[in-house]
Amino acid sequence: MAAEALVRLAEERVDHRFKGLPPDADGLTVAELAGQRRNLFTGGFTTPVLALSAERLEHNLALMETYAVRHGLSFAPHGKTSMAPQLFWRQIERGAWGITLAVPHQVRVAREFGIQRVFLANEAVDAVALRWIAGELAADPSFRFVCYVDSVRGVELMDAALRGSARPVDVVVELAAGEGARTGVRTEAECAAVADAVAGVGTLRLVGVAGYEGEVPDADPARVRAWLRRLVGLAVDFDKAGRFAGLEEVVVSAGGSAWFDAVAEVFGEIPELSVSVRKLLRSGAYVSHDVGHYRRVTPFNRVPEEGALESAFRLWAQVVSRPSGEQAFANAGKRDAAYDLDLPVVEVVRDVGTGAVRHAEGIAVTSLSDQHAWLRTAAGAELSVGDWVGLGLSHPCTSFDKWQLIPVVEGDGTVVEYVRTFF
């Protein structure tokens, strides 16, 4: 099923739907275009065009694979970062236990491409979606699905939607990261009440606890570790109360892309329980990494001996206007570049005449319009109308969602693959 679905992606026809691709490639299949191994700069691509570095992508995949193994963690990377089935499978081939997702639509995409283990890091109370999930579980005994629950009312809604289902839906109680944080149960007593509600219905099965440390208010290493120890303590208390009786394993899960070093440390302290514990890490932004938010907060900055992630995205735009010595405009804007956390960073300039690529000195993005990047240029900055600027991007989650077919580019500019996204 997975192989057939991925083949269908390769057989999809290239046309006007896909930004930046060569106009003369219309009608080719994605596989045929990839087989031509065109050059990103001389092969007919138009600007703006987003490129994913083949070498840096592979580096990041390998680094997190070895990190998870080194720390005894299972890995279910958050797929909502990319929503790219090809990348889902590359992560699974590199040892990932499964894929984490955020909403039922994303689960449908994952199932279409044969993903067998899905962790939904969110509550699911939509009756239509729950009945669809129940149908997937009934039709495929090997499909594993786990989602959050954080209220007695949520349990009631899930139970009403799932009555008559062939298999119970596995749930983990979500512990909130603190007062004023996002979703999740605020106190351990309330967690017990939610667990009691789950035990009282036949449509759900409690399999563990989970949460997201990235929502800890005023997060710092001490606060994050303190919350993680609360999460571990909740699992221990549930086990002592017999809530995990009859299970083959318990899931304890956390881990965004900012504090997975703390997750690894505290999960390493989990004591022996009555059943085995799957310590499930969910970091997802590592695939492409970035030049802004995640570069600043990556745990590898705090523990450099673990390695370093590399920014794998570069958005190429063309200078279309140079109205003054202090200002220029490129043809990529909010519709093309992530901007919700940090503005793009001008990394390199490719000379339109010679093709030479140089470091971008004295050039900065100051704001984005819908289709323009506002560039401030310092005195003496070398930049002309027609030049291409290579922009580093922040926040992978809102980079992938703007591009449906992304060229994967080797260091010499050769495009070797195209990644299809579904948002």
Side-chain angles (χ1 to χ4, degrees), residues 15-103:
D15 58 25
H16 63 278
R17 293 169 297 163
F18 305 122
K19 298 190 294 185
L21 299 192
D24 66 355
D26 277 13
L28 296 177
T29 66
V30 173
E32 288 168 343
L33 181 57
Q36 293 181 355
R37 296 177 64 85
R38 297 196 187 196
N39 186 279
L40 186 73
F41 307 109
T42 62
F45 293 83
T46 63
T47 56
V49 59
L50 181 67
L52 188 60
S53 164
E55 295 87 355
R56 292 184 174 193
L57 172 63
E58 176 58 27
H59 168 84
N60 292 343
L61 290 168
L63 183 63
M64 285 302 290
E65 177 188 19
T66 58
Y67 184 88
V69 170
R70 185 182 306 125
H71 292 281
L73 301 169
S74 293
F75 193 30
H78 214 317
K80 61 95 177 174
T81 300
S82 68
M83 282 308 296
Q86 292 147 281
L87 298 184
F88 292 174
W89 277 105
R90 287 188 67 172
Q91 290 168 308
I92 289 170
E93 289 163 1
R94 303 305 295 257
W97 172 87
I99 298 296
T100 296
L101 296 165
V103 292

